[in-house]
Amino acid sequence: MNKNSEKMIANLSSDKKCELFDFFLNEYLKGGFGSMNKSDIDVLVYAVLQKSGMDELSDYDASIELGITKQRIRALQEKYSIRYDVIEEDVAIDRFLKKLRHAKIEGAYIDVPIQDIALKNYLEAKLDANDLLLHKQLNSNIFRLRSDDLLSFIDILVPEDQISKEVIAKIIENEGALTNEGINIDVKKGDIKTQLVDVLRKKGPRVAIQILTGLIPGGTVAKTVIDAIASAV
């Protein structure tokens, strides 16, 4: 075993070690003793390592740690995320907020680096279920959104905040003024959300983020999300 792995495991509390032992044994015995094949045992051991602290490592560092290729790490991570790391909404949002610290603007897109397959699966499932277009690119570790998708994405991510309704109410209250730089919406024309999305698309990510930062009410998860993107880019 690599010295770093030995140190990681040695630093675990007795309670954590007992928890991981119970987890391993319960999973191994689910189908009957000896029924788990080598591939499944590898995934189970990988799950124990992830829960021991290896989840903090990049794919490259994990591959060095375990002496296997990055491709195999990704394959293990994919299986692990489906079997042992299906995440709840609050956990997903917390993980996503941490990733937003590293968001960048690339042309018309806001790119968020996400190696966490469980989180990516969660976000992509949200988009797919709500018919919001997922923008693919060559780097599979990048989660990509267009500026005009931001409002819809936040609505999907935290529907309880009812952000679109709050934003439209704020626009009406401001008589259509979106910024102090003369970007406005004609509130008398109706369909305010469609007009807003059109503005966000035409103005691009930086201005879109600025507009939404001013419109989304404080004290909401949605505000935390947009502020995190704004501070990163």
Side-chain angles (χ1 to χ4, degrees):
M1 183 185 292
N2 189 296
K3 287 184 178 180
N4 291 327
S5 296
E6 289 180 357
K7 183 178 179 181
M8 179 181 70
I9 293 170
N11 287 337
L12 294 174
S13 67
S14 296
D15 286 346
K16 186 65 176 178
K17 287 179 181 178
C18 288
E19 176 190 324
L20 292 172
F21 177 78
D22 287 346
F23 165 74
F24 180 89
L25 205 57
N26 288 333
E27 292 297 328
Y28 179 78
L29 294 174
K30 268 185 180 178
F33 185 84
S35 63
M36 188 175 275
N37 62 39
K38 181 184 181 302
S39 176
D40 290 337
I41 292 172
D42 286 349
V43 177
L44 179 54
V45 172
Y46 182 80
V48 172
L49 290 171
Q50 288 292 94
K51 294 174 183 294
S52 299
M54 204 177 74
D55 59 326
E56 298 294 329
L57 299 181
S58 67
D59 289 350
Y60 172 77
D61 289 334
S63 72
I64 297 298
E65 190 69 22
L66 299 183
I68 57 179
T69 64
K70 280 203 304 180
Q71 288 76 12
R72 191 171 175 204
I73 288 289
R74 294 297 289 175
L76 286 167
Q77 181 67 25
E78 183 75 48
K79 292 177 181 177
Y80 162 71
S81 69
I82 294 170
R83 296 181 193 178
Y84 303 116
D85 194 34
V86 178
I87 52 179
E88 299 295 332
E89 184 172 283
D90 57 339
V91 175
I93 291 174
D94 184 60
R95 289 189 191 180
F96 186 57
L97 286 171
K98 291 176 182 175
K99 297 300 180 183
L100 287 178
R101 300 170 189 166
H102 308 288
K104 293 182 179 179
I105 288 175
E106 291 291 340
Y109 299 96
I110 299 162
D111 286 351
V112 186
I114 299 177
Q115 289 192 40
D116 184 337
I117 292 178
L119 176 57
K120 281 196 71 181
N121 288 344
Y122 174 87
L123 294 172
E124 290 175 5
K126 281 277 191 181
L127 297 183
D128 187 57
N130 290 274
D131 298 320
L132 191 61
L133 181 63
L134 178 65
H135 300 279
K136 295 282 188 180
Q137 67 157 342
L138 292 178
N139 187 345
S140 62
N141 291 332
I142 297 294
F143 180 75
R144 167 168 277 191
L145 282 169
R146 286 183 62 93
S147 54
D148 46 313
D149 288 333
L150 258 179
L151 183 59
S152 294
F153 174 70
I154 291 172
D155 268 336
I156 290 167
L157 191 64
V158 279
E160 63 274 15
D161 283 354
Q162 297 187 313
I163 289 306
S164 285
K165 290 182 179 179
E166 296 281 355
V167 165
I168 290 170
K170 186 77 173 286
I171 292 171
I172 293 171
E173 181 186 329
N174 293 343
E175 297 181 344
L178 299 181
T179 69
N180 294 327
E181 286 75 38
I183 302 175
N184 296 282
I185 280 178
D186 187 345
V187 295
K188 294 179 181 178
K189 282 186 177 180
D191 202 356
I192 293 171
K193 184 177 178 180
T194 299
Q195 291 186 66
L196 174 61
V197 169
D198 190 50
V199 170
L200 299 181
R201 177 180 56 80
K202 289 178 179 177
K203 295 298 180 180
R206 292 193 187 280
V207 176
I209 292 164
Q210 175 193 347
I211 289 171
L212 291 177
T213 300
L215 291 174
I216 292 176
T220 61
V221 175
K223 181 64 171 175
T224 304
V225 169
I226 198 67
D227 284 351
I229 297 174
S231 65
V233 301

